Amino acid sequence: MFEMAADHFNGHAKYELIGGYFSPVSDYYQKEGLAPAHHRVRMCELATESDSAWLMVDSWEALQASYQRTAVVLDHFDDELNKNMGGMTLPDGSKREIRILLLAGGDLIESMGRKDVWASED
């Protein structure tokens, strides 16, 4: 799915794709049959360590002591990449804010229509 998204962005001059993050959900998501968070983080690390220069793993969500809403996770990425790291450094030395986008599967997109799953502010 990430590679298909990369193909899409690389074919459009309006955006430059600079990275992608796997963010495994914490054990508090409580989905039946879901492997423990530390195993899912490690699987993502193994999948990205040798095959990709642009895909990374962020374990923040998996390590949280409670379930984090998707909007909170996106805020985490914005804080880390734009506030803490200062965004992206351009060739001329100036900085530009990184636009954070969500790549989601059909199950997540489908859940967005359910009022019992998503907070209205999300």
Side-chain angles (χ1 to χ4, degrees):
M1 194 160 66
F2 271 108
E3 294 300 334
M4 289 173 28
D7 290 344
H8 173 78
F9 279 100
N10 291 332
H12 293 79
K14 184 176 179 181
Y15 298 102
E16 177 185 3
L17 180 64
I18 60 171
Y21 283 93
F22 286 97
S23 181
V25 70
S26 78
D27 291 329
Y28 295 94
Y29 184 61
Q30 299 180 339
K31 182 177 180 180
E32 188 176 327
L34 198 60
H38 68 278
H39 289 302
R40 289 181 281 110
V41 168
R42 186 64 186 134
M43 285 187 275
C44 290
E45 290 170 345
L46 289 169
T48 59
E49 71 184 6
S50 63
D51 290 343
S52 179
W54 69 280
L55 288 174
M56 298 158 272
V57 181
D58 184 78
S59 61
W60 179 86
E61 182 180 5
L63 297 174
Q64 298 307 298
S66 63
Y67 169 70
Q68 301 298 309
R69 297 182 347 265
T70 301
V72 172
V73 176
L74 293 174
D75 287 344
H76 159 73
F77 280 102
D78 186 55
D79 287 344
E80 287 298 315
L81 297 170
N82 288 312
K83 293 183 179 80
N84 296 343
M85 293 177 58
M88 184 172 123
T89 304
L90 301 176
D92 66 3
S94 65
K95 295 276 192 169
R96 178 182 292 162
E97 185 172 290
I98 297 169
R99 186 169 185 190
I100 309 298
L101 301 175
L102 173 66
L103 177 61
D107 57 339
L108 181 64
I109 301 300
E110 182 180 37
S111 76
M112 290 179 174
R114 295 183 44 202
K115 293 179 181 177
D116 62 324
V117 175
W118 290 82
S120 59
E121 62 270 16
D122 291 345

